[in-house]
């Protein structure tokens, strides 16, 4: 597209298709693959790349100082996500890998395996079917910045990098009690993680290099290299304090691994705010419009605007507004479609409240091609809704609105002349709240993918923070 001709008239159907199928991310992944592998025949390479599965599978590095719990967390993540566990030491004993013998030879003759050979071993292992289709979690590698850069040169790019840290005194104490099952390579601890199986207890051995002096040396090496490694992964790593129960560490690590990074795809907010009367939809819509520049749309305001403008559509709506009867869905959809097709909504996005009220209206809106990409359900108990609405009153002289609990008038004269809107009477509010709750469950089912429940019984700015965080972050990946 010609940038000088913006704002562009992009059809809503195109935007929906691109977001649903993640076209931007797909194109980005293809371009990255071309730049990394630089194939001689780009077309055949791209066809083969598209035919591969595994673009969404986990690719995780778990790093940290000795005894920080890397192995435990790595194995728990693999068990939970059903992905492949990889440990560098296991690669040298894997006879399926062509370079494993060479690696063992280097280890026995030189006492160390060159970085290039480590990365070659890993590259071969990651090409296996289980790693491609299920993903992988790599435990304790890379150990240096040079190894991290070599991984990048080979196109081995993790989605998430977890870094575990804890005070050195804690790590030394942990390491001194470490025990190893030589058969399964599972790591246990004499104090914190003693095995239940008696046979496992009998075959436990003390690993090499866990004396206090050796641990202190390894800790110094880790502290020296970790900053350089993280410079290679500036945008996708998370540091987690490992000096807490393993369950808490795992919960934070799993939440991070299951999160999706912020997409660079153009994102046009199309937001629905649903909730009972008094849940704060109008305030949250105003806050969104103020901060993000989206168009704030309320169905009642749109209908009143049509009545104010002379025209056949306004004449159709006027009797319904005067009598209090609902406007027919077909007329409402015409008004809504006309407004959403205007340039400001197409170029800036929108936040809509007051519609839809039931699944039939939601289906009609979807049929018009205007689908929301975020739907927030502002949940509020009935008694709180009654407290918020039924205690409202207006000063007929100044037009100022008051609330007997949250914003009472300080002047007694003002207090005496306050008037309540008939619509705010408890009997009428209860009917509206009950009607919403009757439709809410079906609406939640209709918007199952886009729907996000929020507790509206709290400070409005706290609600906005939650709403905002869900708006700017991608929706979570559904379970595999």
């Amino acid at each position: 597209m010609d940038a000088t001709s913006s704002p562009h008239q992009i059809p809503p159907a195109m935007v929906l298709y691109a977001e649903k199928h993640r076209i931007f991310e797909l194109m980005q992944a293809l371009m990255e693959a071309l730049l990394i592998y630089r194939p001689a025949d780009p077309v055949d390479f791209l066809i083969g790349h598209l035919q591969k599965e595994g673009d969404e599978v986990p690719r995780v590095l778990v790093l940290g100082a000795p005894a920080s719990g890397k192995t435990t967390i790595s194995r728990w993540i693999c068990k939970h996500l059903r992905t492949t566990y990889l440990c560098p030491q296991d690669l040298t004993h894997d006879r399926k890998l062509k370079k494993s013998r060479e690696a063992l030879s280097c280890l026995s003759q030189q006492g160390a395996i060159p970085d290039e050979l480590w990365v070659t071993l890993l590259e071969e292992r990651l090409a296996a079917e289980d790693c491609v289709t299920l993903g992988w979690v790599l435990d304790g590698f890379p150990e240096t910045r040079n190894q991290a850069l070599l991984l990048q040169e080979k196109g081995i790019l993790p989605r998430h990098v977890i870094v575990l840290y804890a005070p050195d005194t804690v790590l030394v104490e942990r390491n001194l009690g470490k025990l190893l099952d030589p058969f399964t390579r599972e790591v246990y601890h004499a104090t914190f993680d003693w095995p239940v199986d008696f046979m496992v207890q009998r075959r436990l051995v003390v690993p090499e290099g866990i004396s206090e002096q050796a641990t202190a040396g390894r800790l110094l090496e880790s502290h020296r290299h970790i900053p350089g490694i993280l410079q290679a992964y500036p945008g996708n790593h998370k540091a987690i304090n490992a000096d807490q129960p393993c369950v808490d560490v795992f919960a934070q690590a799993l939440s991070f691994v299951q999160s999706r990074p912020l997409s660079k795809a153009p994102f046009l907010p199309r937001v629905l705010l649903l909730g009972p009367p008094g849940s704060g939809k109008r305030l949250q819509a105003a806050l969104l419009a103020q901060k993000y520049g989206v168009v704030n749309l309320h169905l009642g305001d749109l209908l009143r605007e049509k009545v104010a403008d002379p025209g056949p559509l306004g004449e159709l709506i006027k009797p319904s507004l005067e009598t209090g009867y609902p406007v027919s869905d077909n007329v409402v959809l015409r008004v809504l479609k006309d407004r959403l097709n205007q340039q400001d909504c197409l170029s800036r996005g929108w936040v809509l409240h007051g519609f839809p009220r039931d699944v039939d209206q939601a289906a009609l809106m979807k049929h018009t091609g205007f689908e929301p990409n975020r739907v927030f359900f502002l949940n509020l108990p009935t008694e709180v809704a009654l407290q918020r609405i039924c205690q409202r009153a207006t000063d007929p002289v100044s037009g100022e609105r008051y609330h007997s609990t949250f914003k009472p008038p300080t002047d007694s004269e003002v207090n005496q002349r306050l008037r309540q809107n008939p619509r705010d009477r408890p009997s009428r509010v209860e009917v509206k709240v009950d009607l919403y709750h009757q439709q809410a469950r079906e609406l939640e089912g209709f918007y199952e993918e886009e729907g996000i429940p929020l507790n509206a019984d709290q400070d409005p700015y706290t609600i906005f923070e939650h709403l905002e965080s869900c708006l700017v972050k991608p929706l979570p990946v559904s379970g595999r």
Side-chain angles (χ1 to χ4, degrees), residues 368-388:
T368 63
F370 294 97
E371 294 186 48
N373 47 24
R374 295 291 187 279
V375 180
F376 295 98
F377 290 90
L378 303 180
N379 298 323
L380 190 71
T382 301
E383 57 272 17
V384 179
L386 290 171
Q387 181 191 37
R388 289 184 178 181

Side-chain angles (χ1 to χ4, degrees), residues 10 16 117 127 148 178 192 211 214 224 289 292 319 424 432 456 459:
I10 302 175
L16 289 174
L117 186 52
K178 189 180 290 185
F192 307 119
S211 67
R224 185 162 63 91
Y292 292 98
D424 292 347
K432 291 181 181 179
D459 178 79

Side-chain angles (χ1 to χ4, degrees), residues 236-397:
N236 60 339
H237 74 266
K238 179 179 178 65
I240 299 175
N241 180 12
D243 187 18
Q244 55 183 319
C246 260
V247 175
D248 296 335
V249 178
F250 171 68
Q252 295 178 49
L254 183 64
S255 175
F256 174 60
V257 169
Q258 289 182 316
S259 68
R260 285 164 57 178
L262 288 175
S263 172
K264 296 179 181 178
F267 178 70
L268 195 67
R270 302 187 305 279
V271 182
L272 282 186
L273 296 180
L274 302 178
S279 57
K281 301 184 292 294
R282 189 180 288 270
L283 173 59
Q284 298 302 326
L287 292 173
L288 277 175
Q290 181 181 16
K291 182 160 186 178
Y292 292 98
V294 296
V295 181
N296 184 358
L297 302 176
H298 180 259
L299 180 63
D301 295 342
L302 294 179
L303 296 176
R304 283 186 284 272
E305 288 173 8
K306 282 294 180 183
V307 171
D309 291 338
L313 199 56
E315 293 298 324
L316 283 174
I317 299 169
K318 187 175 181 180
S320 297
L321 293 186
E322 290 176 346
T323 58
Y325 284 101
V327 181
S328 71
D329 289 348
N330 289 333
V331 174
V332 168
L333 260 295
R334 283 179 61 186
V335 173
L336 196 59
K337 187 175 180 180
D338 289 346
R339 186 64 186 90
L340 293 177
N341 267 320
Q342 292 183 22
Q343 185 59 43
D344 56 351
C345 291
L346 295 175
S347 60
R348 290 158 44 196
W350 44 264
V351 53
L352 174 64
H353 48 113
F355 187 90
R357 298 182 184 274
D358 54 44
V359 173
D360 292 337
Q361 291 182 344
L364 284 171
M365 183 176 175
K366 182 178 180 179
H367 183 69
T368 63
F370 294 97
E371 294 186 48
N373 47 24
R374 295 291 187 279
V375 180
F376 295 98
F377 290 90
L378 303 180
N379 298 323
L380 190 71
T382 301
E383 57 272 17
V384 179
L386 290 171
Q387 181 191 37
R388 289 184 178 181
I389 297 175
C390 299
Q391 297 181 27
R392 298 188 305 198
T394 305
D395 179 1
V397 175

